[in-house]
């Protein structure tokens, strides 16, 4: 059973920062990808950022330059540092895991990820 544990969501004023975390004992091995997706009410799920087992990263256009995805291999945990937040960033943020895939062809779609966390709410006012 693959479990993804997310944390770090909350409420912040526009211009502020938050850091999300996603932990799983399965973030090991030679080939995998971890992505962050978000979904706001009435809007489709959107890919935010991703990192793979080689350390390659990818970002959605709406967050590029403001968000940074990183990993701590010792824990192992993935982080999403979100800076200069705007109300348009308000959404539920989900961590997703795609074993056996990497980012060599670019950002993976939501359907490529087999395992998902429960989500954490981010609210920017």
């Amino acid at each position: 059973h693959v479990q993804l544990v997310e944390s770090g969501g909350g409420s912040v004023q526009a211009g502020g920062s938050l850091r999300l975390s996603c932990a799983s004992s399965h973030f090991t091995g030679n080939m995998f990808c971890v992505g962050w997706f978000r979904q706001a009410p009435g809007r489709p799920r959107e890919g935010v950022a991703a990192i793979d087992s080689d350390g390659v990263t990818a970002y959605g256009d709406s967050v590029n330059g403001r968000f940074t995805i990183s990993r701590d291999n010792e824990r192992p945990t993935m982080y999403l540092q979100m800076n200069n937040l705007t109300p348009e960033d308000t959404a539920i943020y989900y961590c997703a895991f795609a074993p056996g895939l990497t980012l060599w062809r670019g950002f993976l779609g939501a359907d490529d990820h087999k395992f998902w966390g429960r989500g954490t709410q981010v609210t920017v006012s």
Side-chain angles (χ1 to χ4, degrees):
H1 178 67
V2 177
Q3 186 176 15
L4 309 180
V5 180
E6 299 142 326
S7 60
S11 298
V12 66
Q13 291 187 337
S17 299
L18 284 173
R19 188 177 79 158
L20 305 183
S21 301
C22 178
S24 174
S25 60
H26 287 78
F27 292 164
T28 59
N30 295 325
M31 188 180 294
F32 66 87
C33 182
V34 177
W36 284 97
F37 292 79
R38 67 185 181 186
Q39 188 160 21
R43 300 184 66 178
R45 187 166 292 190
E46 176 188 9
V48 175
I51 187 167
D52 70 14
S53 46
D54 293 328
V56 176
T57 59
Y59 296 92
D61 291 340
S62 63
V63 305
N64 201 9
R66 299 188 297 123
F67 291 11
T68 303
I69 190 169
S70 61
R71 65 181 184 179
D72 182 345
N73 293 330
E74 297 297 322
R75 294 183 180 267
T77 302
M78 304 297 174
Y79 300 100
L80 183 67
Q81 177 67 42
M82 305 185 295
N83 297 329
N84 194 21
L85 287 161
T86 73
E88 288 69 37
D89 295 315
T90 295
I92 299 175
Y93 284 70
Y94 298 91
C95 176
F97 179 50
L101 298 177
T102 66
L103 294 174
W104 75 274
R105 288 189 295 178
F107 215 116
L108 300 178
D111 291 343
D112 292 316
H113 296 76
K114 294 178 61 176
F115 305 101
W116 291 77
R118 293 187 175 184
T120 184
Q121 176 70 46
V122 171
T123 302
V124 185
S125 59

